[in-house]
Amino acid sequence: MPINKRAIISGALGATASSIGKLALSPESPVPSTFHSYCHIILNRYYQHENDIGWICPYVSLGTRVVCFLCMIGVNLLMVSSFLDGMNESGSVVGTALSTAANFSFSALYGILFFEEHVPISWFFGATLIALGMYLLSSVTLTTDDDDDDDDKTKTD
């Protein structure tokens, strides 16, 4: 049974891009605040008059947001490329369904692992059904009309 990997990969890349975007743009994002704190620690350690150059730290925080935003755009470009390959590989309906299901699943996984989101038990039942559907859709093979034409022809000798 062939597995339509590109559509699933595009869903995973889409979820990754959205998580990076959340890190870039969310006010509660730990990445900019961590770099801002490290900036103050480094300035306190190496400069006795932090107030003279303490203005740098907000720009460090902003710089990390910009880097995360650019990474989000880059991952989105990879996702679109993979999505188009996935639709070519498995058809538009199956490719779209697989990509959406994978995106949903990976987004939830990232939320649990990286953003400490709490998920009810009923969600896991739904996710299991989605995974089963992904497996069934990924095992679909496409046939062309040319194969059917060969059966209709009769041999004349």
Side-chain angles (χ1 to χ4, degrees):
M1 245 186 264
I3 296 176
N4 303 322
K5 295 178 185 174
R6 291 185 181 123
I8 295 170
I9 290 170
S10 73
L13 287 171
T16 302
S18 68
S19 294
I20 293 171
K22 188 173 182 176
L23 290 175
L25 302 174
S26 175
E28 300 90 29
S29 175
V31 175
S33 61
T34 300
F35 276 91
H36 191 270
S37 298
Y38 284 149
C39 178
H40 281 291
I41 290 169
I42 290 170
L43 289 178
N44 283 333
R45 177 176 281 171
Y46 295 108
Y47 298 100
Q48 292 183 358
H49 302 292
E50 179 194 348
N51 294 337
D52 295 342
I53 57 172
W55 57 270
I56 293 174
C57 293
Y59 290 106
V60 169
S61 178
L62 179 64
T64 58
R65 288 185 187 274
V66 169
V67 168
C68 286
F69 187 76
L70 292 175
C71 287
M72 179 195 70
I73 291 172
V75 173
N76 268 323
L77 291 173
L78 291 173
M79 183 268 308
V80 168
S81 174
S82 179
F83 179 69
L84 293 175
D85 288 343
M87 285 198 320
N88 188 33
E89 180 180 63
S90 59
S92 61
V93 173
V94 173
T96 302
L98 285 173
S99 178
T100 302
N103 188 310
F104 175 77
S105 301
F106 279 95
S107 292
L109 182 66
Y110 290 159
I112 293 167
L113 293 177
F114 301 123
F115 301 108
E116 299 175 357
E117 294 176 358
H118 298 286
V119 180
I121 296 296
S122 61
W123 182 91
F124 287 102
F125 177 71
T128 303
L129 292 177
I130 289 172
L132 179 63
M134 282 177 55
Y135 172 75
L136 292 174
L137 282 173
S138 68
S139 63
V140 171
T141 56
L142 296 177
T143 59
T144 60
D145 291 337
D146 296 339
D147 295 339
D148 295 336
D149 292 341
D150 292 340
D151 295 338
D152 294 339
K153 294 180 184 176
T154 58
K155 293 184 182 181
T156 57
D157 290 323

